[in-house]
Amino acid sequence: MRALALALVLLLALPGTAYAQGGHDPRDLRDLARKNGIRIGSAVDVAALRAEPDYRAALNREFDHVTAENAMKWESVEPERGVHTWDDADAVVRNARRHGQKVRGHTLVWHNQLPAWLTAGVEDGSIGAAELREILREHVTAQVRRYRGQIRAWDVVNEAFEDDGTMRQSIWLKHLGPGYIADAFRWAHRADPHARLYLNDYNLEWSVPKIEATLALVKELKAQRVPIHGMGFQGHLGIQYGYPGDWANVMGRFAELGLEIAITELDVRMELPVTAEKLATQAEYYTRALTDCLSVRACEEVTVWGFTDRHSWVPEWFDGEGAPCLMDESLAGKPAYDALLALGKVSGR
Ligand code: G3I
């Protein structure tokens, strides 16, 4: 007993320990997540996971949740009809299991990154509506069943609406009608009754027509007893656009419908060159996003869409913009990373 007490005192006295610092500053994002009763995740670039030990070490040190950036998309898992290539997706899931990370599956039904055999077949009419619906059912069922019990949450339907609140005229809407959404959720639930099933979209942080249309869809799905469990806010922000000040309130409105909430693809890009001032604004946006999520009891996860500027989609898609991540190309924490850790324990969870 005396030895234990002594050890405790020594621990308290040791410089550098949490207690000695008194501020309980978390040592990394996993620690921050644990202290606040939330999950903090990152999208995973599978090529970097395989080839870059420093990338892999940082991913597994910092994050308790992961999303495959591209490896689980339809074009990646079924490049030829009936020929499945799961290796990349398996590699993300295997790494996650080894490092105590939960996994978000991304994404089952989307208008982008579809295999050419599918889009060509629909276009030339060789795949008709009935067959397309059957192909979609088989795809959702096969992928969800393969990872049954290994995926915490699926982005079942991604980007179903335009910013003006109209339904996106995707291959799914055009050929299957709006019922494709309810179908996909039901098929996914049948294949894994324990996975949390999400609708996921961008600009939902601020676009009022899109917010209202998505809320109306969720109410409709709930009324039809469709197994929808969560709303994913992608959160692709830019410091040149101002921070979406009503975000927490919008999250709250979806939570009132009984949904879990997640920020699924957070990044904060800037017009280059990088300056200290822009980095300070970026840090403010990241801390506000986390704080907004923590202010909504139903918000359980904040995932960044890549954690290092070495691997980000932004430069390819936004000319003259970049540096959207928490760490720079050498994996050094940027002011945003330090600002998140400095938040410490902010939630009463
Ligand atoms: O697979 C090919 C490879 O064979 C080829 O050698 C290489 C060179 O051109 O391109 C590879 O395809 C790239 C693919 O990512 C896989 O890496 C495409 O060019 C590239 O455009 C594609 O970009 C992805 C983008 O979705 C496509 O829509 C981004 O990495 C990915 O971050 C981005 O993620 C989306 C989310 O899924 C949904 N929300 C928005 C988010 C950002 O657009």
Side-chain angles (χ1 to χ4, degrees):
M1 192 57 188
R2 244 168 88 15
L4 181 62
L6 182 61
L8 195 58
V9 168
L10 281 176
L11 178 70
L12 288 174
L14 273 176
T17 60
Y19 289 93
Q21 282 168 0
H24 301 297
D25 273 359
R27 62 183 174 278
D28 53 38
L29 296 175
R30 264 192 196 239
D31 200 19
L32 176 70
R34 209 181 1 255
K35 283 183 173 16
N36 287 287
I38 195 177
R39 297 242 170 218
I40 298 180
S42 177
V44 178
D45 176 316
V46 70
L49 179 70
R50 287 208 172 96
E52 300 170 18
D54 59 346
Y55 175 95
R56 202 164 47 241
L59 175 77
N60 296 331
R61 181 187 67 238
E62 298 288 341
F63 300 100
D64 61 12
H65 210 285
V66 292
T67 306
E69 184 176 5
N70 289 296
M72 286 189 183
K73 292 172 179 172
W74 204 336
E75 72 174 358
S76 303
V77 299
E78 194 182 3
E80 283 170 52
R81 188 169 183 177
V83 180
H84 287 94
T85 50
W86 301 111
D87 295 358
D88 286 355
D90 287 354
V92 173
V93 173
R94 198 168 39 247
N95 180 73
R97 290 174 71 96
R98 283 203 189 120
H99 295 93
Q101 297 159 328
K102 297 284 185 193
V103 182
R104 172 174 290 277
H106 179 81
T107 175
L108 298 168
V109 187
W110 192 26
H111 61 279
N112 259 349
Q113 290 184 280
L114 293 169
W117 63 265
L118 180 70
T119 49
V122 171
E123 209 160 305
D124 68 19
S126 59
I127 295 177
E131 187 180 359
L132 180 63
R133 186 169 183 277
E134 191 47 28
I135 290 170
L136 183 60
R137 188 189 65 74
E138 283 169 4
H139 168 66
V140 170
T141 305
Q143 188 155 5
V144 175
R145 194 174 284 161
R146 180 181 181 82
Y147 296 109
R148 185 179 175 131
Q150 303 181 72
I151 300 270
R152 181 187 80 80
W154 276 101
D155 294 338
V156 178
V157 174
N158 193 37
E159 303 175 6
F161 286 97
E162 300 285 357
D163 283 355
D164 65 3
T166 59
M167 289 203 102
R168 185 182 296 276
Q169 291 297 320
S170 66
I171 185 178
W172 309 116
L173 185 70
K174 277 189 229 163
H175 297 277
L176 304 181
Y180 81 88
I181 297 176
D183 286 342
F185 276 89
R186 291 193 175 108
W187 294 328
H189 185 60
R190 208 168 295 145
D192 185 351
H194 303 294
R196 308 306 284 169
L197 305 179
Y198 278 66
L199 204 53
N200 192 48
D201 216 327
Y202 62 85
N203 292 353
L204 210 53
E205 306 83 26
W206 55 268
S207 163
V208 174
K210 186 179 257 189
I211 292 166
E212 297 306 334
T214 309
L215 282 166
L217 171 66
V218 171
K219 288 176 189 158
E220 208 183 295
L221 293 172
K222 285 271 182 184
Q224 295 168 18
R225 299 187 174 290
V226 171
I228 178 171
H229 309 120
M231 186 70 236
F233 293 78
Q234 290 184 11
H236 294 292
L237 309 179
I239 62 168
Q240 62 270 38
Y241 300 114
Y243 182 84
D246 196 39
W247 198 357
N249 175 46
V250 176
M251 290 184 207
R253 292 181 66 194
F254 283 90
E256 278 159 22
L257 300 179
L259 294 187
E260 293 171 17
I261 305 294
I263 298 179
T264 55
E265 305 182 18
L266 181 64
D267 52 19
V268 183
R269 64 184 184 274
M270 60 187 71
E271 287 165 345
L272 302 173
V274 172
T275 66
E277 193 191 348
K278 291 176 187 174
L279 289 173
T281 306
Q282 181 181 59
E284 182 211 331
Y285 281 33
Y286 270 106
T287 49
R288 286 184 72 178
L290 180 64
T291 311
D292 279 347
C293 177
L294 288 169
S295 73
V296 178
R297 192 85 192 87
C299 189
E300 307 196 352
E301 173 201 331
V302 174
T303 287
V304 294
W305 205 241
F307 62 90
T308 164
D309 295 337
R310 189 193 296 174
H311 297 295
S312 167
W313 68 294
V314 166
E316 183 194 338
W317 289 70
F318 299 97
D319 221 11
E321 298 187 42
C325 299
L326 293 170
M327 296 180 179
D328 65 19
E329 304 213 358
S330 66
L331 302 187
K334 292 157 63 178
Y337 176 87
D338 300 335
L340 285 179
L341 292 192
L343 278 177
K345 181 170 175 45
V346 279
S347 90
R349 298 182 189 197

